[in-house]
Amino acid sequence: KKVLYLTFDDGPIPEVTPWVLDELKKHKAKATFFCIGKNIDDNPEVFKRIIAEGHRIGNHTYNHYNGWKYVNREYYENVEDCARVLASKKWRVTGGKELPLFRPPYGKLKPSQYKHLKDKYRIVMWDVLTLDYNLQVSKKRVLNTVLKHAGPGSIIVFHDSLKAQPRMQYALPKVLEHFSALGYTFAAL
């Protein structure tokens, strides 16, 4: 099917996430936001808007921990700290029959961490990494990466972060326009 799954890592932040939400709304697109717990605590109004507009939420640890750099106990605690924020009664994000979504920052998990988390979370990776976070990559390359590699069912990673902002803000509207014109829809995972 002509469906793409846009995902946004590292938010929510007030300087970028509302702009992303506005762009998605223009194209009636849904997405999945892999949120950092600390950013949810720091920016609750932006997080509320993501939920109110019908997007899916995933756990991206509380402090953007790289699984390869932490002992397992510390890593699991950081994942669970984010899970507690997401499960807060004020959000009502988790629940239901599906496993909560989890994306490891940097896509890095030790095999032991994967084994520990796989029964509790649906671990979501990607097949198109935009590289929008990389200061050495041009905004045109970010766009061309998506145009060249995305196809039916692709999971595409953008970042709603200050670091990625210039490249993401260039590429996202063009991606939405290009694939919409080809008859694609954009769904949450």
Side-chain angles (χ1 to χ4, degrees):
K1 294 181 180 178
K2 287 188 165 184
V3 178
L4 294 175
Y5 300 95
L6 296 175
T7 65
F8 295 88
D9 290 5
D10 299 351
I13 62 165
E15 299 87 350
V16 181
T17 309
W19 182 89
V20 170
L21 293 169
D22 291 343
E23 288 300 307
L24 295 172
K25 189 182 285 187
K26 287 178 193 175
H27 293 273
K28 296 183 174 118
K30 295 299 178 195
T32 304
F33 289 80
F34 287 93
C35 297
I36 295 172
K38 183 173 184 341
N39 287 346
I40 296 169
D41 280 341
D42 291 347
N43 305 294
E45 294 305 314
V46 179
F47 186 68
K48 285 179 195 173
R49 183 174 167 200
I50 295 170
I51 296 168
E53 293 184 12
H55 301 285
R56 185 100 192 256
I57 303 297
N59 182 325
H60 201 49
T61 74
Y62 191 84
N63 298 101
H64 203 259
Y65 274 14
N66 177 337
W68 291 3
K69 293 184 177 182
Y70 286 87
V71 297
N72 289 354
R73 182 186 49 75
E74 282 182 86
Y75 190 74
Y76 303 149
E77 286 174 5
N78 206 259
V79 171
E80 290 310 309
D81 285 346
C82 184
R84 276 190 285 283
V85 172
L86 292 173
S88 168
K89 289 179 184 169
K90 63 185 171 186
W91 310 123
R92 297 191 181 130
V93 170
T94 58
K97 295 179 183 172
E98 292 185 19
L99 290 176
L101 302 179
F102 174 73
R103 175 173 285 157
Y106 312 100
K108 294 183 177 179
L109 279 177
K110 296 174 189 171
S112 56
Q113 293 165 345
Y114 172 78
K115 287 177 188 171
H116 178 84
L117 295 170
K118 72 178 176 63
D119 293 329
K120 189 168 186 177
Y121 294 94
R122 180 171 161 215
I123 299 172
V124 179
M125 300 306 259
W126 56 84
D127 62 304
V128 180
L129 182 61
T130 65
L131 300 175
D132 59 352
Y133 57 85
N134 187 330
L135 301 176
Q136 306 306 311
V137 172
S138 74
K139 58 188 181 182
K140 288 183 181 179
R141 181 173 168 205
V142 169
L143 173 62
N144 289 332
T145 295
V146 180
L147 298 182
K148 181 177 178 182
H149 298 289
S154 284
I155 299 173
I156 302 165
V157 179
F158 281 105
H159 294 79
D160 54 334
S161 67
L162 290 172
K163 187 175 175 184
Q165 183 179 17
R167 289 160 298 285
M168 183 273 298
Q169 284 187 332
Y170 174 82
L172 180 61
K174 292 170 177 52
V175 166
L176 288 163
E177 290 164 16
H178 174 81
F179 285 102
S180 292
L182 295 176
Y184 279 80
T185 58
F186 300 90
L189 292 167

